[in-house]
Amino acid sequence: MAVSEMFGYAKWWFKSVFGSKAPLVNTLIIHYGCNLRCRHCSIHKNTENIAGKTKLSYDEIVSDLNLQYKNGARIAYFEGGETTMWSDGEKDLGDIIKAAKDAGYTNVGYTTNGTGRIFTGSDIISVSLDGPKEVHDLIRGEGVYEKLMDNISKTDFTGAIYANMVIQKDNLGCIKETAELVRNNDKLTGIIFNFITPPPYELALSRSEKGEAISVIRELKKKGYPILNSKKGLELLAEEDWSQKCPYHVTVFVIPDGSHHNGCPMHDTPSCERCGFAAVREYYLIKRGNPFTITEMSSIFAMSKK
Ligand SMILES: C[S@@+](CC[C@H](N)C(=O)[O-])C[C@H]1O[C@@H](n2cnc3c(N)ncnc32)[C@H](O)[C@@H]1O
Ligand code: SF4
């Protein structure tokens, strides 16, 4: 990680300790469109019949990138829908990644299901991996695993590719197998584990299932598997209700209708009381100045510039 980048994060943290509410991460949900209908996906379940605007334009994205950079954000993350399917006229995901770099963001990333083009201009790519072939395809659809693996094996992207696993009823039994897959795949830098945030409620895990999953992950981490959740972050994954603790200001969001949110757009919904997002725990720890999490997270960002 460049010294200036490190200095930027340190400055943000220092100011935040003294009460600043400047954001660190700008998350842009660029559209809701998607080629898949994953069983656990809250986005497609909540937005399938939405009446309003379902996509940000190129101009809206550039204007938001500049605005939040001015407000202090230094990490830009594109989310969807399926991010690689976003377009506006001639512009595609590659153009908005470039716009984020041009705006000055030191770390730019996007999440993808990996079935489409792998855009290479970002620092980080997060690919969804919900289990070995049979389980991934059960959750995401026939043939999705092969396409993902084929696409990442062929890409000449030189940054870090992380796997993002959402643990839910369908894949609770294959945590170790999935970590093993990541460890044996030289294109994947590591894996981050999340729990499903309902809806859908029928796939949500009980507290005891979460506890068992965390024990398995902690053991794997101890054995040196490339698990990106910090140790303390893993412990906090067991805590369900983040409605009072969520470090809202760390991430700002813009969503396809153009509205801006200081913190998670799910704030104040029932989902908040069963939050399974790993990033929420890591942001919380970083904000509180947990030295271990800060060191672990810094090394993740450093790895992204390999
Ligand atoms: C909404 S998707 C958008 C990016 C892309 N379409 C993909 O699947 O990677 C971003 C991440 O959110 C996860 N996700 C979807 N629904 C979720 C839920 N109910 N709880 C937790 N994570 C969820 C997905 O598995 C994926 O890793
Ligand atoms: S690919 Fe991503 S956005 Fe599409 S349905 Fe699956 S999780 Fe949701």
Side-chain angles (χ1 to χ4, degrees), residues 195-303:
F195 290 135
I196 184 171
T197 301
Y201 283 87
E202 66 276 15
L203 296 177
L205 302 176
S206 67
R207 281 178 187 270
S208 68
E209 285 171 326
K210 287 184 179 179
E212 282 161 33
I214 291 168
S215 304
V216 173
I217 300 166
R218 287 179 66 162
E219 274 311 301
L220 294 171
K221 195 169 165 78
K222 261 193 221 151
K223 288 183 183 153
Y225 281 74
I227 291 164
L228 305 174
N229 308 67
S230 70
K231 277 187 208 134
K232 187 73 189 156
L234 271 175
E235 257 172 55
L236 291 177
L237 258 190
E239 287 183 25
E240 296 202 316
D241 185 351
W242 283 74
S243 53
Q244 302 305 315
K245 271 187 303 191
C246 188
Y248 294 113
H249 76 271
V250 180
T251 314
V252 281
F253 279 80
V254 59
I255 67 173
D257 66 6
S259 61
H260 293 263
H261 299 257
N262 267 328
C264 179
M266 286 181 171
H267 180 29
D268 271 347
T269 70
S271 300
C272 229
E273 287 161 27
R274 293 189 68 183
C275 174
F277 292 111
V280 167
R281 278 71 176 176
E282 307 301 343
Y283 293 155
Y284 170 80
L285 291 166
I286 289 171
K287 196 181 148 238
R288 288 172 64 100
N290 183 296
F292 301 109
T293 304
I294 290 173
T295 313
E296 284 187 61
M297 289 296 119
S298 305
S299 61
I300 289 170
F301 285 125
M303 277 194 288

Side-chain angles (χ1 to χ4, degrees), residues 36 38 40-41 79-83 110-115 118 125-131 136-137 139-140 144-145 147-149 152 161-166 171 178 182 188 190-192 194:
L36 303 183
C38 304
H40 65 294
C41 181
E79 282 287 353
E82 176 44 36
T83 48
Y110 67 96
T111 309
T112 175
N113 62 32
T115 59
I118 303 286
I125 301 174
S126 158
V127 294
S128 290
L129 179 65
D130 291 317
H136 189 78
D137 284 1
I139 295 170
R140 292 187 164 257
V144 172
Y145 180 90
K147 255 191 202 151
L148 161 68
M149 290 302 170
I152 60 176
I161 308 181
Y162 298 128
N164 192 58
M165 180 174 182
V166 177
N171 58 9
T178 312
V182 172
L188 292 172
I191 180 165
I192 186 147
N194 305 266

Side-chain angles (χ1 to χ4, degrees), residues 78-94:
F78 297 110
E79 282 287 353
E82 176 44 36
T83 48
T84 61
M85 288 170 61
W86 178 90
S87 67
D88 180 8
E90 299 280 288
K91 307 285 190 194
D92 62 19
L93 179 63

